[in-house]
């Protein structure tokens, strides 16, 4: 089968012919129709310090996908060939303390498809049946982005949203999903910031009441003015930019919640006393998607039409054009970039 492979310990990705996987015991073989391209794939392509420490080539890359059940391994009875499905790409151990207390998203033994084992930029992928989710009428193009959208669902819905003022910091694809989710969940006011006008336009399309260009406008003053001087109830920090983290602490109301998804490149200095403790706020670190609470919530928002994420998908490429897909992400102007595989 055709696949995109990290072939060697050097920059670049190659389109190769590799053996088609088989569904082992407890596994489902899925014919991939659509796959999402992510910043992680860019790190692997560029062979940066993180990739050098984590990736063991040769490896089929890609971790966001949806497709059709092609075959069932021994012991799998809950799916049927032909069903449209997506899958959680974090494969967890099932026996650590986190797993056994319903917190599989923070399993310390997590292995990720397209990172620690073969991934989804391929015509077929074999997945543990425990990780597979039926799409229930959701098109595979949307199913393919339920992994990053799930990060946004996890970030937003872990806070109390109905009637709240929510500030989404950073309007990359996950930030734009978060805007739409906050609106769909009943936020009274959604404010979004970024430094890129194209991304702000996308946030507006997804339902942001107020957008702030952080390169030009005074972010803190604008958010406080929009909330009667009180600050917002919830901040979702999706950028990881140090200046934006300080804006998150300056705009959260006393006792509010700051949910952190964006990854800073290095250490960030924080004034714990004034930015966190004396404001009585709660910080929540977001990793992955809750298994499988986030997936069930997300599937209902999507299949009922409460949320339409399609405006965020801005680029589509065939599998062989992975370099063009990566270039679109590098430009900083793209929303979600997807591969059309079958
Ligand atoms: Zn575990």
């Amino acid at each position: 089968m055709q696949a995109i492979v990290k072939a060697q310990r050097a920059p670049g990705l190659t389109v190769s012919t590799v053996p088609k996987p088989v569904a082992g015991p407890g596994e489902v073989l899925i014919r991939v129709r659509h796959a999402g391209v992510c910043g992680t794939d860019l790190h692997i392509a560029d062979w940066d310090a993180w990739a050098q420490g984590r990736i063991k080539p040769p490896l089929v890359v890609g971790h966001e996908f949806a497709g059709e059940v092609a075959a069932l391994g021994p012991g799998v009875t809950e799916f049927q060939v032909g069903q449209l499905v997506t899958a959680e790409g974090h494969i967890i151990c099932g026996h650590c303390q986190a797993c056994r207390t319903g917190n599989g998203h923070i399993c310390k033994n997590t292995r990720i498809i397209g990172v620690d084992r073969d991934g989804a930029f391929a015509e077929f992928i074999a997945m543990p049946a425990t990780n597979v989710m039926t799409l229930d009428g959701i098109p595979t193009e949307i199913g393919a982005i339920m992994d990053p959208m799930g990060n946004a669902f996890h970030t937003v819905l872990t806070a109390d949203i109905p009637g709240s003022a929510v500030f989404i910091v950073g309007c990359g694809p996950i930030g734009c999903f978060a805007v739409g989710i906050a609106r769909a969940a009943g936020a009274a006011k959604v404010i979004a910031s970024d430094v890129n006008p194209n991304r702000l336009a996308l946030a507006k399309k997804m339902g942001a009441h107020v957008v702030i260009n952080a390169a030009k406008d005074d972010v803190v003053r604008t958010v406080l003015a929009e909330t009667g001087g009180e600050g917002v109830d919830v901040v979702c920090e999706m950028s990881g930019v140090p200046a934006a983290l300080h804006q998150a602490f300056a705009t959260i109301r006393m006792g509010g919640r700051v949910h952190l998804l964006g990854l800073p490149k290095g250490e960030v200095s924080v004034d714990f006393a004034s930015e966190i403790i004396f404001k009585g706020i709660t910080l929540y670190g977001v990793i992955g998607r809750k298994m499988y609470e986030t997936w069930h919530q997300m599937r209902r928002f999507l299949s009922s039409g409460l949320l339409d994420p399609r405006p965020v998908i801005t680029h589509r490429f065939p599998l062989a054009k992975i370099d063009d897909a990566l270039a679109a992400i590098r430009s900083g102007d793209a929303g979600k970039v997807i591969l059309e595989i079958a």
Side-chain angles (χ1 to χ4, degrees), residues 92-96 98-99 107-109:
I92 60 177
C93 75
H95 57 70
C96 71
C99 283
C107 168
K108 63 184 178 182
N109 304 312

Side-chain angles (χ1 to χ4, degrees), residues 167-179 190-204 206 208 210-213 236-239 312 332-336:
F167 180 25
I168 310 292
V169 182
C171 297
I174 299 179
C176 286
F177 293 139
V179 167
V190 178
I191 306 170
S193 70
D194 201 283
V195 294
N196 181 319
N198 295 329
R199 291 176 158 203
L200 290 172
L202 207 49
K204 191 114 210 185
M206 290 304 290
V210 179
V211 294
I212 307 171
N213 186 331
C236 298
E237 208 303 305
M238 320 302 256
S239 77
V312 183
D333 284 333
K336 194 67 205 172

Side-chain angles (χ1 to χ4, degrees), residues 75-260:
V76 179
T77 55
E78 66 269 45
F79 295 102
Q80 286 137 36
V81 170
Q83 270 182 317
L84 297 182
V85 296
T86 182
E88 166 59 60
H90 288 191
I91 294 166
I92 60 177
C93 75
H95 57 70
C96 71
Q97 182 180 345
C99 283
R100 292 182 61 162
T101 54
N103 295 290
H105 62 291
I106 47 172
C107 168
K108 63 184 178 182
N109 304 312
T110 298
R111 299 185 75 240
I112 305 177
I113 61 169
V115 173
D116 304 309
R117 56 183 265 168
D118 279 340
F121 291 170
E123 292 178 84
F124 293 91
I125 183 170
M127 288 297 297
T130 48
N131 284 54
V132 177
M133 294 285 292
T134 55
L135 285 176
D136 296 3
I138 300 164
T140 51
E141 180 175 82
I142 294 175
I145 56 174
M146 284 171 74
D147 166 301
M149 208 186 324
N151 291 123
F153 269 98
H154 184 179
T155 308
V156 175
L157 294 189
T158 311
D160 198 10
I161 296 300
S164 291
V166 181
F167 180 25
I168 310 292
V169 182
C171 297
I174 299 179
C176 286
F177 293 139
V179 167
I181 294 159
R183 280 300 304 265
K189 181 171 271 187
V190 178
I191 306 170
S193 70
D194 201 283
V195 294
N196 181 319
N198 295 329
R199 291 176 158 203
L200 290 172
L202 207 49
K204 191 114 210 185
K205 212 187 253 185
M206 290 304 290
H209 298 99
V210 179
V211 294
I212 307 171
N213 186 331
K216 287 199 277 196
D217 304 327
D218 186 328
V219 173
V220 175
R221 193 152 63 168
T222 307
V223 173
L224 292 178
E226 288 288 340
T227 52
E230 291 290 325
V232 293
D233 304 295
V234 179
V235 174
C236 298
E237 208 303 305
M238 320 302 256
S239 77
V241 175
L245 280 157
H246 293 300
Q247 289 160 4
F249 295 132
T251 55
I252 191 68
R253 70 160 163 80
M254 302 293 285
R257 291 183 67 99
V258 176
H259 290 191
L260 303 166

Side-chain angles (χ1 to χ4, degrees), residues 45-56:
D46 291 347
W47 200 240
D48 66 7
W50 169 82
Q52 290 176 34
R54 177 85 178 246
I55 307 296
K56 293 179 181 65

Side-chain angles (χ1 to χ4, degrees), residues 2 21 24 57 64 134 188 202 272 308 340:
Q2 290 282 99
E64 307 171 358
T134 55
L202 207 49
F272 277 83
D308 180 5
E340 296 176 322

